[in-house]
């Protein structure tokens, strides 16, 4: 018998190319993936928060097909082309105007661009990020990440200096949100006093909703506190919305819920529904001070990927964004109902279709195995869910913004049974 795709993968790829499941996915449509053995599975992973308007959405694919017949690559450093301009103009407007854009391919690449911008325009060296944050796998973004020491451990000598401070985490610390915000901001002030003066810090990098770290929304007061300190000290405030952006949290960008506006916004994942594209959207005055030669790249802003992103915007505007809020609320209510009856301490959180359910034992230790059991039981019943959190004790739900109420209900039915097993 010939080896399965999973068996071939084990031979062809290193352990570093780790996967959440053994599934071999051969096709996908809407909220479903189909495996090589013919299983049709409700997909609450979305390729890790990428297929934000559902697999192969017809409006996206129509634009992609038209673009394929017209122009596949020009090179943004050779010449400009219509989708590159049209998408950048849309992003500037969505981010509130007075912004400029730099396109790249992956989240890490765009975030690294944001950090390079901050270092260049401030002439400073200090960088601050937060524990539980995940920002990517390049050397620069590995340095910024602090959601698992395994991500950084093998590379310490090559990582630029970044300091990681606490991110508000009320449930884990059994504190109120207000107390957590006060504690974390006081820690930042102390850091400026004792470790690195604020006027040596180039950027603060933060996820408005931590992804890998546990689908943990930052309280608005925390983001306001960061904004206020960045204004006072001339620090560039970078919001990593690679996972929370482009409709996933029920707003175009998750930060819009807080009213706090960053100097630089980084987008990737859901922006082009599966085509590799990322964007740095930053304050026009800062961007204007970033000279020719200071940044670049070959594939960024690929015409087909930009066409896909324009299609995603069309779908979000045509109702998917509103749907993310209503179907997300339905899921969240259903999850809260299920969680109430579990023999665990639970925290159901998140916004839109970016929802997490944290499970802890009665002594408040993370219920890691329970989450693994729920995932396995759900998959057995036809629902793909991943986990997150620094202890991997958070169920991580990221269906498409186009999920129907019936699909949400069938996921809740499966989860209700799977969680009883746990
Ligand atoms: C918040 C956040 N930042 C950055 C990244 C890195 O993005 P990419 O894997 O596209 O480089 C990710 C990927 O999971 C992410 O979730």
């Amino acid at each position: 018998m010939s080896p399965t795709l999973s068996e071939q993968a084990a031979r062809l790829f290193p352990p570093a190319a780790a996967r959440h499941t053994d599934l071999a996915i051969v096709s996908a449509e809407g909220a479903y993936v189909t495996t090589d053995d013919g299983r049709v599975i409700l997909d609450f992973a979305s390729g890790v928060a990428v297929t934000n308007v559902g697999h192969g959405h017809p409006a996206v694919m129509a634009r992609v097909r038209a673009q394929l017949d017209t122009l596949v690559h020009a090179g943004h450093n050779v010449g400009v082309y219509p989708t590159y301009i049209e998408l950048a103009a849309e992003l500037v407007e969505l981010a509130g105007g007075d912004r400029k854009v730099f396109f790249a391919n992956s989240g890490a690449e765009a975030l690294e661009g944001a950090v390079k911008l901050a270092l260049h325009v401030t002439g400073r060296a200090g960088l601050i990020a937060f524990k539980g944050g995940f920002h990517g796998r390049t050397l620069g973004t590995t340095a910024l990440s602090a959601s698992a020491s395994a991500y950084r451990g093998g590379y310490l000598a090559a990582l630029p200096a970044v300091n990681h401070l606490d991110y508000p985490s009320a449930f884990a610390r059994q504190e109120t949100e207000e107390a957590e915000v006060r504690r974390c901001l006081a820690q930042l002030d102390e850091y400026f006093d004792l470790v690195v003066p604020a006027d040596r810090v180039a950027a603060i990098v933060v996820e408005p909703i931590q992804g890998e770290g546990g689908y943990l929304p930052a309280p608005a007061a925390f983001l306001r506190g960061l904004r206020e300190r960045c204004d006072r000290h001339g620090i560039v405030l970078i919001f990593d919305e690679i996972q929370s952006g482009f409709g996933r949290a029920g707003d175009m960008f998750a930060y819009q819920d807080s009213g706090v506006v960053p100097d630089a916004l980084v987008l990737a994942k859901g922006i082009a529904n599966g085509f590799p594209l990322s964007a740095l959207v930053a304050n026009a005055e800062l961007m204007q001070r970033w000279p020719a030669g200071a940044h670049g790249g070959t594939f960024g802003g690929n015409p087909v990927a930009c066409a896909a992103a324009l299609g995603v915007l069309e779908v979000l505007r045509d109702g998917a964004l509103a749907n993310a809020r209503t179907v997300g609320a339905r899921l969240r209510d259903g999850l809260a109902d299920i969680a109430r009856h579990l023999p665990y301490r639970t925290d159901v959180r998140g916004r839109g279709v970016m929802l997490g359910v944290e499970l802890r034992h009665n002594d408040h230790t993370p219920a890691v195995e329970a989450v693994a059991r729920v995932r396995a039981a759900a998959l057995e019943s036809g629902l793909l869910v991943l986990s997150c959190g620094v202890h991997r004790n958070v169920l991580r739900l990221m269906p498409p913004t186009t999920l129907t109420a019936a699909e949400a209900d069938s996921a809740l039915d499966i989860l209700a049974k799977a969680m009883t097993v746990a």
Side-chain angles (χ1 to χ4, degrees), residues 36-347:
D36 62 345
D37 53 0
R39 295 181 65 199
V40 178
I41 298 171
L42 188 49
D43 180 13
F44 271 40
S46 298
V48 194
V50 168
T51 47
N52 270 17
V53 295
H55 294 281
H57 193 289
V60 175
M61 296 314 288
R63 287 188 187 244
V64 165
R65 288 192 184 99
Q67 187 61 45
L68 281 173
D69 288 339
T70 321
L71 177 73
V72 169
H73 177 79
H76 65 103
N77 40 19
V78 174
V80 295
Y81 37 91
T83 53
Y84 181 75
I85 301 295
E86 204 184 322
L87 181 61
E90 290 273 18
L91 294 181
V92 166
E93 198 184 314
L94 286 166
D98 204 23
R99 296 280 188 277
K100 288 181 185 245
V101 178
F102 201 101
F103 287 122
N105 307 286
S106 68
E109 191 188 1
L111 187 57
E112 195 136 334
V115 171
K116 283 175 71 180
L117 169 73
L119 295 173
H120 206 291
V121 298
T122 63
R124 305 173 181 180
L127 295 170
I128 293 173
F130 294 92
K131 291 178 201 161
F134 179 76
H135 300 289
R137 301 295 198 158
T138 59
L139 282 174
T141 55
T142 294
L144 290 163
S145 298
S147 57
S149 58
Y151 296 168
R152 321 172 82 247
Y155 313 106
L156 293 180
L159 299 185
V162 177
N163 281 286
H164 293 101
L165 303 180
D166 285 352
Y167 183 93
S169 189
F171 179 68
R173 286 183 180 267
Q174 301 181 265
E175 269 298 352
T176 64
E177 198 171 279
E178 296 71 35
E180 269 298 272
V181 170
R182 257 197 319 278
R183 187 182 67 80
C184 293
L185 291 175
Q187 190 184 71
L188 176 59
D189 291 334
E190 184 187 62
Y191 171 83
F192 289 148
D193 285 344
L194 304 187
V195 186
V196 175
D199 65 2
R200 298 293 178 139
V201 174
I204 295 180
V205 182
V206 66
E207 290 163 85
I209 302 179
Q210 270 193 352
E212 281 267 318
Y215 274 28
L216 203 52
F222 179 64
L223 297 179
R224 275 198 300 279
L226 297 183
R227 179 70 276 173
E228 193 260 317
R229 284 156 181 81
C230 286
D231 287 342
R232 190 158 13 121
H233 301 298
I235 299 168
V236 177
L237 182 59
I238 301 173
F239 281 177
D240 176 344
E241 291 236 25
I242 288 165
Q243 187 155 169
S244 58
F246 247 69
R248 177 142 299 278
D251 287 305
M252 203 54 219
F253 311 120
Y255 77 79
Q256 290 168 323
D257 190 67
S258 70
V260 178
V261 179
D263 300 305
L265 170 67
V266 184
L267 304 166
K269 285 193 180 282
I271 189 171
N273 214 40
F275 289 87
L277 182 68
S278 58
L280 162 63
V281 186
N283 178 301
E285 186 267 330
L286 290 184
M287 289 286 249
Q288 201 54 38
R289 283 162 47 203
W290 208 16
H295 196 48
T298 297
F299 289 111
N302 170 271
V304 184
C306 288
L310 289 165
V312 172
L313 283 179
E314 182 188 319
V315 178
L316 289 174
R317 287 191 177 116
D318 280 356
L321 194 56
N323 186 62
R325 286 191 285 268
T326 49
V327 85
R330 188 183 187 97
L331 275 174
R332 206 186 139 129
D333 290 348
L335 290 167
D337 265 353
I338 298 169
R340 252 192 293 282
H341 300 105
L342 296 178
Y344 294 98
R345 294 187 181 185
T346 57
D347 190 33

